[in-house]
């Protein structure tokens, strides 16, 4: 069931990434949102009440939900990158992505509120089901999932008011006049005053030019799977896809199994019902979100256009690697003593993921590729990441399940699979550091057209400069 939503997200990123380049960013932006809303609502109507039937139908609906969520990735990143100027583009895209942190916090709050309401009803005489759980529990989880559709639905009206991005209109549709009109309307400025950004210092980058300046070529006309594309952008596509894959192996492994990790540090006994357990887990998740997840996003927003994407990604991968080793190598000690240090290190993995590759892997693909292929390449990179998430989630689930096997001759044997999994995640992050160092270029303070022009210039030389 966990893999279903991730596979749906991978499919959504590929499909909507391609559609975003063929039909326009705005044209399919609303469609991905509608699928997201419908999938979220459908999850609450999963058929039957028996375990197998519910999980089977829920997996189908979560796949649909994943398609909508996946479609939002390349479209949101591409739209924001094409509307922003080069001096603040990274902060704008990171700001869009950082709203995930508030979504995580909101999901915890919704869980707490809904469970509190149902718990009051249960104590008032709701009774127990045949499975010795409160009778309303089967409704409570459905309500929690369906409420996820509300904030998504509220944004539909404003999405439909957005014009097509000027870069797509000018460079892909070749309608420079309409692009100019759209920019005049958005910025409330005459065309003569619109330029890529304000001039930098004299000793920095060249003076800005208008977006449709003859200095920059129109969007490249070669197809995606051509030798010309691979020569010019193949290394960048590999870099974006590989780093996103490695990041999601580690990030989703930790993210999707928070409840099992938190339960080690919660006081649960036979008198604890499902509502109380869910409230405690959600409370601890909210604490991690407030103290680590959200701050990590906004550290990136602040530093991304000052330090650069490449350096932040290198730092994030490296520190995540050391943190996972710090969790895994002394894992026997952490489990035996239930030491708070484990939760602190665990929270820091989220901080440096978000102040690191979880945000930069979302930003960089939206900056490197030609306008005609930008959304598609972002979708390919993101879909590869979601395949990594499936690998990580299934792997950590198997490690966790194997941890239940206890050997009397070796009291710590039941902990070895999880310990090994955490050490492997550390190695995966260090591999992400190597790939970033070897292949990921810096895009800070360069216009999208400059990035594309630089790739073309390099490919025409005797060697590709990384």
């Amino acid at each position: 069931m966990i893999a279903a939503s991730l596979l749906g997200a991978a499919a959504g990123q590929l499909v909507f990434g391609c559609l975003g380049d063929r039909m326009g960013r705005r044209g399919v932006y609303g469609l991905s949102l509608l699928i997201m809303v419908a999938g979220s609502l459908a999850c609450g109507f999963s058929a039957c009440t028996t375990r197998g039937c519910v999980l089977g139908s829920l997996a189908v609906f979560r796949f649909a939900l994943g398609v909508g969520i996946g479609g939002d990735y390349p479209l949101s990143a591409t739209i924001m990158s094409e509307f922003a100027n080069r001096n603040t583009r990274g902060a704008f895209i990171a700001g869009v992505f950082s709203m995930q942190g508030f979504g995580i916090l909101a999901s915890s709050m919704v869980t707490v509120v809904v469970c509190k309401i149902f718990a009051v009803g249960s104590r008032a005489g709701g009774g127990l089901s045949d499975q010795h759980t409160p009778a309303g529990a089967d409704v409570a989880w459905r309500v929690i999932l369906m409420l996820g559709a509300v904030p998504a639905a509220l944004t539909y009206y404003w999405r439909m008011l957005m014009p097509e991005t000027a870069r797509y209109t000018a460079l892909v549709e070749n309608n420079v006049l309409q692009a100019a009109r759209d920019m005049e309307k958005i910025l409330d400025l005459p065309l003569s005053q619109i330029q890529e950004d304000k001039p930098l210092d004299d000793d920095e980058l060249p003076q800005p030019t208008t977006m449709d300046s003859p200095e920059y070529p129109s969007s490249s006309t070669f197809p995606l799977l051509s030798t010309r594309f691979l020569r010019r952008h193949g290394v960048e596509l590999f870099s974006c896809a590989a780093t996103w894959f490695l990041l999601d192996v580690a990030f989703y492994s930790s993210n999707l199994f928070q409840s099992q990790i938190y339960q080690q540090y919660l006081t649960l006994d036979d008198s604890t019902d499902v509502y109380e357990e869910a409230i405690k887990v959600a409370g601890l998740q909210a604490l991690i979100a407030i103290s680590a997840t959200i701050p990590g996003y906004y550290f990136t927003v602040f530093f991304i256009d000052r330090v650069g994407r490449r350096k932040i990604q290198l730092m994030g991968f490296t520190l995540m690697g050391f943190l996972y080793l710090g969790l895994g190598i002394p894992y026997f000690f952490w489990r035996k003593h239930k030491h708070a240090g484990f939760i602190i290190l665990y929270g820091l993995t989220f901080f440096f993921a978000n102040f690191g590759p979880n945000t930069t892997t979302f930003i960089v693909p939206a900056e490197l590729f030609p306008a005609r292929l930008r959304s598609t390449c972002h979708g390919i990179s993101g879909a590869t990441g979601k395949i990594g998430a499936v690998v990580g989630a299934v792997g950590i689930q198997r490690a966790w399940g194997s941890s239940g096997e206890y050997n009397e001759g070796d009291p710590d044997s039941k902990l070895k699979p999880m310990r090994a999994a955490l050490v492997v995640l550390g190695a995966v992050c260090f591999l992400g550091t190597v790939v970033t160092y070897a292949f990921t270029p810096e895009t800070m303070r360069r216009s999208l057209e400059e990035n594309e022009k630089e790739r073309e210039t390099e490919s025409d030389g005797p060697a590709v400069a990384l």
Side-chain angles (χ1 to χ4, degrees):
M1 187 182 68
I2 290 171
S5 60
L6 296 173
L7 292 173
Q13 287 172 315
L14 290 173
V15 171
F16 280 93
C18 181
L19 291 177
D21 285 331
R22 290 179 176 270
M23 301 174 60
R25 287 63 159 126
R26 178 188 178 276
V28 292
Y29 204 28
L31 177 60
S32 70
L33 186 67
L34 291 178
I35 295 176
M36 194 189 311
V37 171
S40 185
L41 292 174
C43 287
F45 290 101
S46 298
C48 314
T49 56
T50 60
R51 176 185 177 91
C53 188
V54 167
L55 293 183
S57 57
L58 183 58
V60 172
F61 295 137
R62 282 180 63 81
F63 179 89
L65 174 62
V67 170
I69 294 174
D72 216 60
Y73 273 71
L75 297 175
S76 291
T78 302
I79 287 171
M80 196 67 259
S81 72
E82 292 181 344
F83 271 124
N85 69 63
R86 63 185 173 191
N87 279 341
T88 58
R89 185 178 60 237
F92 270 72
I93 305 175
V96 170
F97 195 62
S98 69
M99 294 307 295
Q100 280 194 347
F102 291 101
I104 293 170
L105 180 60
S107 70
S108 299
M109 295 170 62
V110 166
T111 299
V112 170
V113 171
V114 171
C115 287
K116 285 282 188 183
I117 293 172
F118 275 83
V120 170
S122 177
R123 288 194 291 269
L128 297 177
S129 68
D130 294 339
Q131 289 77 33
H132 306 288
T133 58
D138 187 55
V139 177
W141 69 264
R142 297 172 186 270
V143 172
I144 291 170
L145 294 185
M146 293 173 69
L147 286 174
V150 174
L154 291 176
T155 67
Y156 182 78
Y157 173 75
W158 286 279
R159 284 197 180 193
M160 293 299 96
L161 291 180
M162 293 173 56
E164 184 57 80
T165 69
R167 282 184 165 92
Y168 183 86
T169 303
L171 300 178
V172 180
E173 296 182 335
N174 296 316
N175 190 344
V176 178
L177 181 60
Q178 183 60 48
R181 290 171 178 168
D182 289 341
M183 291 306 296
E184 285 181 322
K185 181 186 296 186
I186 293 169
L187 299 178
D188 196 23
L189 289 172
L191 181 62
S192 60
Q193 297 182 31
I194 298 176
Q195 52 188 7
E196 167 67 16
D197 47 29
K198 294 181 179 179
L200 301 174
D201 294 338
D202 292 338
D203 59 345
E204 293 184 319
L205 293 173
Q207 294 292 315
T209 61
T210 56
M211 183 183 58
D212 56 343
S213 167
E215 177 184 349
Y216 297 125
S218 61
S219 183
S220 303
T221 57
F222 47 80
L224 176 65
L225 299 179
S226 65
T227 303
R228 191 176 176 190
F229 171 84
L230 294 177
R231 185 173 66 249
R232 294 185 177 187
H233 301 286
V235 172
E236 285 78 21
L237 184 58
F238 166 78
S239 170
C240 292
T243 52
W244 208 330
F245 177 91
L246 295 170
L247 177 275
D248 278 3
V249 169
F251 184 72
Y252 278 87
S253 296
S254 296
N255 211 19
L256 293 175
F257 290 90
Q258 290 184 67
S259 60
Q260 289 94 323
I261 292 173
Y262 295 156
Q263 284 174 354
Q264 305 170 47
Y265 296 89
L266 299 175
T267 303
L268 304 175
D269 53 38
D270 293 339
S271 64
T272 303
D273 63 17
V274 291
Y275 298 132
E276 186 177 352
E277 180 179 345
I279 289 170
K280 289 182 176 180
V281 170
L284 199 50
Q285 180 173 325
L287 179 63
I288 295 291
I290 293 171
S291 61
T293 302
I294 295 175
Y297 281 122
Y298 282 93
F299 267 68
T300 301
V301 171
F302 183 79
F303 286 107
I304 189 74
D305 290 313
R306 293 172 170 84
V307 176
R309 290 77 160 138
R310 177 182 163 89
K311 290 180 180 178
I312 289 177
Q313 188 162 301
L314 284 169
M315 175 201 68
F317 266 130
T318 302
L319 293 179
M320 285 176 67
F322 284 118
L323 287 168
Y324 278 119
L325 293 183
L327 292 170
I329 293 174
Y331 187 65
F332 297 164
F333 171 83
W334 298 129
R335 285 296 301 270
K336 180 178 180 180
H337 300 282
K338 294 187 177 180
H339 199 282
F342 183 89
I343 288 293
I344 294 173
L345 294 181
Y346 180 70
L348 286 173
T349 64
F350 289 106
F351 177 84
F352 285 109
N354 295 327
F355 183 32
N358 189 41
T359 307
T360 55
T361 53
F362 181 78
I363 295 172
V364 174
E367 299 179 312
L368 279 177
F369 302 102
R372 196 175 60 83
L373 301 172
R374 187 169 293 137
S375 179
T376 300
C377 291
H378 195 288
I380 292 172
S381 302
T384 306
K386 290 301 173 285
I387 299 302
V390 173
V391 172
V394 172
I396 203 75
Q397 184 185 41
R398 289 184 176 276
W400 190 270
S402 300
S403 294
E405 299 172 4
Y406 187 81
N407 186 340
E408 291 289 347
D410 184 1
D412 292 326
S413 64
K414 65 176 183 178
L415 306 180
K416 287 181 178 180
M418 194 63 186
R419 179 191 186 189
L422 291 169
V423 172
V424 168
L425 293 182
V428 167
C429 291
F430 287 131
L431 183 56
T433 301
V434 173
V435 174
T436 300
Y437 183 81
F439 301 109
T440 301
E442 182 55 73
T443 58
M444 179 178 64
R445 296 189 182 183
R446 301 184 64 85
S447 72
L448 300 180
E449 290 72 33
E450 284 177 308
N451 284 329
E452 178 181 350
K453 184 181 179 183
E454 182 182 67
R455 303 278 82 75
E456 292 180 354
T457 302
E458 290 172 352
S459 68
D460 292 336
V464 176
L466 298 179

